[in-house]
């Protein structure tokens, strides 16, 4: 048995009163988040800047009598109820020291006393705000970036604790808000328990994400490496979204970088810049831009799920390149001259490439392939992308001169192929060699004609004449007839 966790997302249908309450909650929760964040930042500075002092002005040393023993916060409630009394023999400790999260949770009662409007918010929602702040600092301590102050466009969601949400038909119950209708696009499966419910605001309305869990689901029968008979190699591209090792390819719709969408985005962003800053008209214009971005994102997600399903169902395993997409779309490093001025570094030319890579969303597609492969009991292999586009699939010769744009002509054996399809075949071959897979090649019938590889040496190298006609039979070859000039290697 294993633990199966799923997430279902629905669009909410709140009335006017509920809309007003949701928006007010977001503002108050953002203010509480920023207060907790500020408290943690002050505690972090106290720990790493003040050193052994509790206060730099008074130079009071850190002792149990002068300040909190819990580093990371400035609150003065380090102990649970019990007043620090000594425990009796055989008795459990009734007054353990609080963690930073518990100290901020204990301060919520003081927050409600000082600001009574916070009593309108469910206590579980307020407690999860402190947990959210703590998670951001834990990530920082593990090497991530320093937590940031939340602005209005950065804080768009809040969560409920499990056991406090009820779902009945096309209605969902939120504590302190009431029953709210939603678009029940798909029903929750039986036997699952609701763990977390997250309410999120987007450009086109409010959504709820329900995280459900079932601990009685049997493990997925993942196919072992020894039983894999077929494998599909994938090469991510821009002309086509994915090139497959079987010779097929999947189109790239370019949802954000096509001509029509780019023009529409340019018009809407221009209208935003013309409005006065801080005005309601500017907010309305900005909302139209956000709605367009949201629609692009939804269409891309839907298309990628369809593509991932088609790829995973083709074979027992899928192999992709482990591409460092984040590094591929980084800005070029600035180039400085001796005079102190910045020189051209090629960023303006690379900007279009970065946008195309971001629009293709290779990393998101790889995540969907990995999820569906695990769900269907199949394997997904990631291989090093080094030299996959410069290696000949026939003779295994590695030469960067073999590729020019979308063409691939091996400088060793003369093998001609599409460069991206060639890379997909190499991805498949590299995965078989790396993981030691026993893939049986398809047998060719004995009565079938032997396939002839078209190479540089058996291609009739002719060029059309000025009247767009090929040379007739009996005419001399290139070099003998001055009417036809010899073609170069890349003109085939």
């Amino acid at each position: 048995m294993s633990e199966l966790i799923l997430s279902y997302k629905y669009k909410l249908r709140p009335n006017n009163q509920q809309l007003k309450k949701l928006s007010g909650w977001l503002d108050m929760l953002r203010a509480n988040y920023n207060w907790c964040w500020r408290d943690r930042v002050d505690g972090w500075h106290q720990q790493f800047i003040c050193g052994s002092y509790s206060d730099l002005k008074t130079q009071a040393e850190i002792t149990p009598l002068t300040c909190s023993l819990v580093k990371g916060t400035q609150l003065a409630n380090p102990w649970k109820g019990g007043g620090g009394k000594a425990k009796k023999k055989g008795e459990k400790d009734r007054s353990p020291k609080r963690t930073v999260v518990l100290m901020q949770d204990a301060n919520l009662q003081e927050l409600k006393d000082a600001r009574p409007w916070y009593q309108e918010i469910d206590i579980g929602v307020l407690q999860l705000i402190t947990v959210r702040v703590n998670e951001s600092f834990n990530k920082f301590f593990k090497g991530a970036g320093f937590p940031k102050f939340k602005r209005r466009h950065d804080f768009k969601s809040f969560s409920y604790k499990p056991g406090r949400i009820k779902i009945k038909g096309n209605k969902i119950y939120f504590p302190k808000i009431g029953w709210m209708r939603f678009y029940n696009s798909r029903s929750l499966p039986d036997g699952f328990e609701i763990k977390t419910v997250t309410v999120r605001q987007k450009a086109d309305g409010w959504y709820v994400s329900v995280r459900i869990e079932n601990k009685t689901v049997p493990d997925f029968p993942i196919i072992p490496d020894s039983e894999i008979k077929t494998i599909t190699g994938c090469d991510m591209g821009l002309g086509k979204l994915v090139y497959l090792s079987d010779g097929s390819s999947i189109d790239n719709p370019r949802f954000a970088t096509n001509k029509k969408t780019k023009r529409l985005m340019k018009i809407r962003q221009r209208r935003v810049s013309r409005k006065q800053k801080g005005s309601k008209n500017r907010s309305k214009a900005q909302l139209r831009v956000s709605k367009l971005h949201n629609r692009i994102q939804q269409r891309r997600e839907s298309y990628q799920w369809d593509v991932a399903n088609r790829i995973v169902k083709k074979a027992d395993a899928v192999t992709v390149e482990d591409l460092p997409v984040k590094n591929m779309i980084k800005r070029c490093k600035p180039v400085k001259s001796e005079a102190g001025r910045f020189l051209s570094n090629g960023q303006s030319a690379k900007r279009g490439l970065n946008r195309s890579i971001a629009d293709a969303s290779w990393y998101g597609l790889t995540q969907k392939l990995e999820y569906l492969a695990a769900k269907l009991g199949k394997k997904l292999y990631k291989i090093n992308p080094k030299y996959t586009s410069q290696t000949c699939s026939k003779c295994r010769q590695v030469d960067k001169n073999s590729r020019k744009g979308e063409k691939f002509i091996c400088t060793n054996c003369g093998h001609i192929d599409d460069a991206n399809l060639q890379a997909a075949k190499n991805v498949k071959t590299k995965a078989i060699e790396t993981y030691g897979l026993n893939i049986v090649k398809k047998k060719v019938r004995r009565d079938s004609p032997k396939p002839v590889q078209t190479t540089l040496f058996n291609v009739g190298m002719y060029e059309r004449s000025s009247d767009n006609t090929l040379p007739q039979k009996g005419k001399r070859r290139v070099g003998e007839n001055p009417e036809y000039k010899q073609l170069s290697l890349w003109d085939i």
Side-chain angles (χ1 to χ4, degrees):
M1 295 295 177
S2 64
E3 181 180 357
L4 179 60
I5 299 176
L6 299 176
S7 180
Y8 284 45
K9 185 170 67 174
Y10 305 96
K11 186 173 183 180
L12 296 174
R13 302 172 60 188
N15 55 36
N16 293 335
Q17 294 180 354
Q18 292 170 343
L19 275 174
K20 186 177 179 180
K21 183 172 289 188
L22 289 173
S23 301
W25 277 30
L26 269 188
D27 292 336
M28 289 189 287
L29 291 173
R30 187 180 72 254
N32 186 36
Y33 180 96
N34 290 331
W35 187 91
C36 296
W37 170 82
R38 182 73 259 178
D39 178 59
R40 294 295 301 270
V41 171
D42 292 341
W44 184 79
H45 282 292
Q46 173 184 331
Q47 179 178 356
F48 293 98
I49 296 178
C50 295
S52 60
Y53 293 105
S54 175
D55 188 3
L56 288 178
K57 291 183 178 180
T58 60
Q59 293 187 352
E61 294 186 0
I62 296 179
T63 62
L65 299 177
T66 57
C67 72
S68 170
L69 295 179
V70 181
K71 297 181 179 180
T73 180
Q74 295 291 304
L75 298 176
N77 51 358
W79 305 100
K80 288 186 178 181
K85 297 179 181 179
K87 62 180 180 179
K88 299 179 182 179
K89 188 176 181 180
E91 183 184 2
K92 292 184 178 181
D93 191 358
R94 296 179 298 174
S95 58
K97 188 171 62 175
R98 285 193 175 107
T99 61
V100 181
V101 179
L102 292 179
M103 290 174 67
Q104 291 187 342
D105 282 347
N107 191 63
L108 291 177
Q109 186 58 43
E110 297 182 9
L111 173 67
K112 290 185 176 182
D113 294 339
R115 295 170 174 82
W117 49 88
Y118 273 91
Q119 297 178 4
E120 301 176 1
I121 303 178
D122 181 66
I123 185 62
V125 176
L126 285 171
Q127 290 174 345
L128 287 179
I129 293 296
T130 60
V131 175
R132 189 167 166 181
V133 175
N134 188 57
E135 289 178 356
S136 64
F137 274 89
N138 287 341
K139 292 179 181 178
F140 164 67
F141 296 144
K142 292 179 181 179
F146 194 81
K148 296 182 179 179
F149 181 88
K150 293 294 183 181
R151 294 174 288 181
R152 179 166 294 181
H153 67 275
D154 295 331
F155 195 93
K156 292 289 184 180
S157 65
F158 59 89
S159 301
Y160 278 95
K161 283 190 174 183
R164 303 179 62 84
I165 302 297
K166 302 176 185 178
I167 298 179
K168 186 177 180 181
N170 63 342
K171 292 184 178 181
I172 183 171
Y173 176 77
F174 296 114
K176 296 294 186 76
I177 294 180
W179 289 94
M180 185 183 300
R181 294 183 297 172
F182 69 98
Y183 293 97
N184 193 2
S185 54
R186 55 176 179 172
S187 58
L188 296 176
D190 296 333
F192 282 80
E193 180 184 359
I194 297 177
K195 298 300 293 182
T196 307
V197 175
T198 302
V199 181
R200 182 172 287 105
Q201 184 186 27
K202 292 190 175 183
D204 59 341
W206 289 84
Y207 289 82
V208 59
S209 178
V210 183
R211 187 170 176 264
I212 55 179
E213 178 185 17
N214 191 346
K215 298 182 179 180
T216 61
V217 176
D219 295 333
F220 286 109
I222 300 177
I223 184 172
D225 294 346
S226 58
E227 297 182 7
I228 293 178
K229 303 300 180 183
T230 56
I231 186 171
T232 303
C234 303
D235 178 65
M236 306 295 179
L238 296 178
K240 300 287 186 178
L241 182 61
V242 186
Y243 296 86
L244 303 178
S245 57
D246 58 0
S248 61
S249 59
I250 300 176
D251 293 334
N252 182 14
R254 296 179 176 270
F255 294 107
T257 55
N258 63 74
K259 187 176 181 180
K260 182 178 179 181
T261 305
K262 286 170 65 177
R263 181 177 179 274
L264 181 59
M265 183 67 70
K266 185 177 180 179
I267 291 173
R268 293 193 178 184
Q269 289 178 339
R270 187 190 301 140
R271 289 174 179 172
V272 173
S273 62
R274 287 175 177 173
K275 302 295 188 297
Q276 184 179 358
K277 290 185 178 181
S279 64
K280 290 186 177 181
N281 285 335
R282 188 183 179 93
S283 301
K284 294 177 183 178
Q286 184 61 50
L287 180 61
R288 296 189 188 99
V289 175
S290 301
K291 285 184 177 180
L292 182 57
H293 279 295
N294 186 61
R295 186 172 65 187
I296 292 171
Q297 186 264 342
Q298 289 179 345
R299 294 177 62 191
R300 184 188 296 116
E301 288 284 329
S302 176
Y303 183 75
Q304 285 192 346
W305 279 115
D306 179 59
V307 170
N309 271 293
R310 289 158 55 186
I311 294 175
V312 171
K313 291 179 180 179
K314 281 180 175 288
D316 297 335
V318 181
T319 176
V320 296
E321 296 175 313
D322 191 9
L323 296 172
V325 181
K326 186 176 180 180
N327 295 334
M328 295 172 67
I329 60 177
K330 277 186 176 180
R331 293 180 60 87
C332 299
K333 293 184 178 180
V335 180
K336 210 170 186 179
S337 65
E338 296 179 356
R341 296 183 178 180
F342 289 99
L343 303 177
S344 176
N345 61 348
Q347 176 57 34
S348 59
K350 191 175 181 293
R351 179 175 56 183
L353 177 63
N354 292 349
R355 290 177 178 177
S356 297
I357 295 175
D359 186 26
S361 186
W362 295 336
Y363 180 73
L365 179 58
T366 304
Q367 282 186 317
K368 294 175 180 60
L369 286 171
E370 188 173 5
Y371 170 81
L372 290 176
K375 187 177 180 180
L376 298 178
K378 300 184 179 182
K379 286 287 189 70
L380 182 131
Y381 300 104
K382 294 182 180 181
I383 56 102
N384 188 357
K386 195 173 184 179
Y387 302 127
T388 54
S389 62
Q390 301 176 5
T391 305
C392 178
S393 61
K394 297 296 181 182
C395 64
R396 311 305 297 170
Q397 172 74 15
V398 180
D399 188 3
K400 65 177 181 180
N401 296 323
S402 298
R403 175 168 183 173
K404 184 178 180 181
E406 301 296 323
K407 298 180 181 179
F408 185 92
I409 302 179
C410 181
T411 57
N412 183 41
C413 66
H415 173 64
I416 302 175
D417 200 352
D418 183 88
N420 298 287
L421 295 176
Q422 173 81 10
K425 296 175 183 177
N426 291 331
V427 170
K428 175 182 176 180
T429 305
K430 199 168 184 178
I432 295 174
E433 295 174 353
T434 303
Y435 294 94
L437 304 179
N438 186 18
I439 305 297
V440 180
K441 295 184 179 180
K442 294 182 179 180
K443 296 182 179 180
V444 182
R445 291 174 51 187
R446 293 186 177 181
D447 57 345
S448 61
K450 185 178 180 180
V452 179
Q453 172 63 46
T454 303
T455 65
L456 176 65
F457 309 103
N458 57 18
V459 176
M461 299 179 64
Y462 296 101
E463 186 181 19
R464 295 181 182 272
S465 58
S466 58
D467 58 350
N468 201 26
T469 58
L470 289 171
Q472 299 178 359
K473 187 176 182 181
K475 288 262 183 133
R476 292 176 293 180
R477 296 179 67 85
V478 174
E480 301 178 1
N481 190 349
E483 184 180 358
Y484 305 100
K485 64 179 181 179
Q486 189 170 2
L487 301 178
S488 64
L489 181 66
W490 298 106
D491 292 331
I492 298 176

